[in-house]
């Protein structure tokens, strides 16, 4: 398992509409909007009901994991709004592996 921090988190743009960056507190409302959606709850393991406190805890854990060098979590931002997340886990498997949250809701629908 990694014992040192990952490089500073980058911001990765995919054209003018899509950005990958670390989750931030400003994403909390969008996270809650997505995570109270029954279809989201069907596909990912999250607390139900999902609250702003859960989203803030996710942001804190993502920051701590990046600093510990164990998980690189990215917020998917579409046209300026939180649209989902993905992570790259360095957890001792043969190679890093990824997971993702579904981009849903108004931000992803356009």
């Amino acid at each position: 398992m990694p014992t040192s921090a990952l490089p500073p988190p980058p911001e990765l743009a995919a054209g003018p509409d899509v950005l990958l960056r670390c989750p931030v507190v400003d994403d909390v409302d969008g996270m809650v909007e997505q995570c109270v959606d029954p279809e989201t709850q069907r596909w990912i393991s999250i607390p139900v009901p999902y609250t702003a406190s859960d989203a803030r805890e996710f942001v804190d854990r993502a920051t701590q994991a990046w600093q510990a060098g164990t998980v690189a979590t990215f917020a998917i931002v579409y046209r300026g709004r939180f649209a989902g997340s993905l992570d790259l886990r360095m957890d001792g498997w043969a190679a890093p592996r990824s997971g993702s949250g579904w981009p849903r809701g108004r931000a992803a629908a356009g």
Side-chain angles (χ1 to χ4, degrees), residues 73-109:
T73 299
F74 292 90
I76 302 166
V77 180
Y78 179 71
R79 294 185 177 171
R81 294 191 60 200
F82 178 83
S85 65
L86 61 90
D87 56 57
L88 182 62
R89 301 171 190 182
M90 281 59 85
D91 58 4
W93 285 63
R97 59 191 178 102
S98 66
S100 64
W102 291 91
R104 292 188 41 83
R106 284 177 244 171

Side-chain angles (χ1 to χ4, degrees), residues 17-72:
D17 294 333
V18 179
L19 176 70
L20 298 179
R21 59 157 170 72
C22 281
V24 295
V25 173
D26 287 346
D27 296 327
V28 166
D29 290 342
M31 289 177 185
V32 172
E33 180 182 349
Q34 284 192 4
C35 290
V36 299
D37 177 74
E39 196 65 17
T40 298
Q41 294 171 358
R42 177 178 168 202
W43 293 102
I44 60 175
S45 297
I46 54 175
V48 176
Y50 194 87
T51 67
S53 178
D54 295 315
R56 285 189 295 274
E57 184 178 330
F58 175 81
V59 171
D60 290 343
R61 282 194 328 261
T63 301
Q64 292 167 3
W66 193 292
Q67 292 170 347
T70 57
V71 181

